Amino acid sequence: MITGPGQAGVQDVEPPSAATGEVVVDVARAGVCGTDVEFYTGEMQYLHDGHAAYPMRIGHEWMGTVSAVGSGVDPAWIGRRVTGDTMLGCQRCERCHAGFHHVCQFRDEIGVRNGRPGALAEQVAVPAWALHALPDTVDDAAGAMVEPGGNAWRSVDAANLSAGDRALILGPGTIGLLCALFARAAGAEVHLLGRPGRSLEFARTFGFDGVWTESELPDLAWHAVIDSSNAPHLPARALELVEPGRRIVHVGLAGSPSLIDTRMLALGDVTAVGILGASAGLDPTIAAYGDGSVDPRPLVAATVELEDLAAILAGTRPEHAGAGPKIHVEIARQS
């Protein structure tokens, strides 16, 4: 639980109950996201917009096993390995009815928005409609990578790539690397751009067609540019780089406003797409992980226990960690 900026720890709380239409999941594994770190530091915009407040229970990248169901829920869910949608629309408004529950004005977000408890805990309560079953071919590590994978799948889908197209991904973090993996699975020529350092060196281990710093980036035709970074200048750079008539996709968020020249957008007949959340990408991501066309597990640098989480949020990297960007928490139920 995060109780204030720079204040986090493990606390005993009342276990969740399965309300009408909901289930309780015994969490087996959960990922630590940059959003979680921003809540810890106090930088996350929702804290300033009134959509989140301390104390809060974080965790929105998770998998586990359904242990209880509420009234109106099929008991066949009990014992099934699942993950779930983070974005919990009200299910009543026009946006939800039109399939846009992830941008519902009244939505909760698990571990993120409106105080909805998250999954960096032994158990989490989830509406049954938000569940997604995991096949045996998706292990626990991959299951806890479905949520970030869904964001990446949606980004690549929005880029409208065809086999043989050349894609440039800005930012070699978790989402950027997953975008690159999905783009390669779609048959694209894949390049990544980032700052010199561990992340860029790790990206080179995947054998992508090119991994570059800004000063090294070659003058090539980029048929799609996906910005998964948090650099304020890169959205404008994406627009400068992309081929006319093609697409730029923005899935990364900077801590300050990012500006683009809409004259360039219009005169280049470029389509700009914003991506929020994994909702529509969860099932395709599970399918890709299940058939092996995308394997997210190399991105997991270390798996720690819940008691180690506060140190991870504070920026401590486990001594045994590999080079990947993602830290997982393996959660053992206390007897």
Side-chain angles (χ1 to χ4, degrees), residues 171-188:
T174 297
I175 299 298
L177 288 170
L178 287 169
C179 285
L181 291 171
F182 277 106
R184 183 163 66 182

Side-chain angles (χ1 to χ4, degrees), residues 148-159 178-179 182 278 280-282 284-285 288:
N151 282 273
W153 183 92
R154 289 192 63 218
S155 300
V156 172
D157 183 62
L178 287 169
C179 285
F182 277 106
L282 295 173
T285 297

Side-chain angles (χ1 to χ4, degrees), residues 49-98:
D49 292 341
H51 296 311
Y54 302 119
M56 61 185 305
R57 288 183 259 171
I58 58 172
H60 58 276
E61 303 175 2
W62 59 272
M63 63 76 55
T65 302
V66 177
S67 59
V69 300
S71 175
V73 178
D74 186 348
W77 277 111
I78 294 177
R80 298 190 72 180
R81 297 173 64 253
V82 296
T83 186
D85 201 337
T86 298
M87 318 297 270
L88 307 181
C90 71
Q91 303 292 289
R92 297 183 299 274
C93 70
E94 179 181 352
R95 293 179 194 173
C96 287
H97 289 161

Side-chain angles (χ1 to χ4, degrees), residues 46 51-52 104-109 111-116:
Y46 278 0
H51 296 311
C104 168
Q105 179 183 354
F106 311 105
R107 72 185 182 276
D108 293 341
E109 297 178 25
V112 176
R113 180 179 163 121
N114 290 345
R116 182 85 190 199

Side-chain angles (χ1 to χ4, degrees), residues 192-212:
L192 281 93
L193 181 143
R195 295 191 296 263
R198 187 190 71 235
S199 295
L200 209 61
E201 292 306 311
F202 179 66
R204 290 193 169 98
T205 67
F206 287 85
F208 297 121
D209 297 284
V211 177
W212 315 97

